[in-house]
Amino acid sequence: VDCDPQGNLSKSFEVEASGLYDGLTGGEAIVHHINNRLALLPGNLSLTLLEKRLLGEIDAYERLRDLLDIEEFSVYDFILLDTPPSLGILTINALGAADHVVIPMSPSLYSMQGTNDLMASVAKVRGRDSILHFNLLGVIINAYDSVPVITREIREEIRENFAEKLFTYHLSRSIRVEEVIIRGEGLAQQKGREYAKAREEILAITKELLNRIEASYVLG
Ligand SMILES: Nc1ncnc2c1ncn2[C@@H]1O[C@H](COP(=O)(O)OP(=O)(O)OP(=O)(O)O)[C@@H](O)[C@H]1O
Ligand SMILES: [Mg+2]
């Protein structure tokens, strides 16, 4: 589900459509079937109108949760909600619909501050309202470059802030990742030797993600 008005996720699958906006505003949420294992509920610029459109509606922040509750969406093993970076109506809708939250972060001071601000706002919304019930699975470092000392320092700072919430595995910065994004493909499906490192990293992250989800149910 592409909850970002920029629609980059949808564009990477060459889909330009307003399925999410339509679904959130009482219309039909048309899902695009990418392949036999993946479907996309696309987002586009129309999502910028949502805030105005839902102004004053008492369920404005619960629309996505209610939408994903319908039977059509019960066939999926996992529903991934890709959110915009700020805490607007779309992000609150996504957090309200989510069982788990993952924060991808590249090791820059800028994104660290952004995430701290976001977590502070989330804490406020959570305290004020009871629509958020998610479990924070953790922080995944993306585009990691081990050469500059500063990125290693920032990584340590992320660890200090998030402790065991920091994933053990990360994704390194690599031109291979960009190539795969441009082709609209997945890293895990890449066969070539040149993709071996990125593929192994993404598989390790995925396993850790699944383990953390499972552990959250076992531990409660
Ligand atoms: N591991 C990586 N190595 C190299 N480049 C990367 C990596 N991850 C992401 N990128 C580059 O950064 C771009 C943005 O990445 P990503 O989509 O993860 O970030 P985002 O903050 O969600 O951005 P968006 O505004 O597009 O939603 C990608 O299109 C890609 O070009
Ligand atoms: Mg994004």
Side-chain angles (χ1 to χ4, degrees), residues 105-109 111-112 139-173 197 201 205 208 212:
M105 197 191 289
S106 53
S108 73
L109 281 176
S111 66
M112 271 276 289
V139 174
I140 301 175
I141 295 181
N142 179 29
Y144 184 72
D145 182 353
S146 62
V147 178
V149 173
I150 183 75
T151 54
R152 276 179 274 152
E153 286 175 359
I154 292 170
R155 186 185 182 160
E156 282 322 301
E157 206 174 319
I158 296 172
R159 202 195 301 281
E160 274 166 32
N161 274 348
F162 289 95
E164 82 291 344
K165 292 293 181 187
L166 177 61
F167 271 52
T168 306
Y169 296 99
H170 65 256
L171 187 61
S172 301
R173 178 179 295 283
K197 181 171 181 232
E201 286 182 352
I205 291 168
E208 182 168 5
R212 282 179 182 246

Side-chain angles (χ1 to χ4, degrees), residues 2 4 6-9 12 82-85 104 106 141-144 170-179 181-182 187 198 201:
D2 189 356
D4 193 336
Q6 286 191 79
N8 287 343
L9 176 64
S12 70
D82 186 28
T83 55
S106 53
I141 295 181
N142 179 29
Y144 184 72
H170 65 256
L171 187 61
S172 301
R173 178 179 295 283
S174 157
I175 188 72
R176 301 300 175 197
V177 175
E178 287 186 77
E179 286 174 8
I181 294 171
I182 288 166
L187 277 179
E201 286 182 352

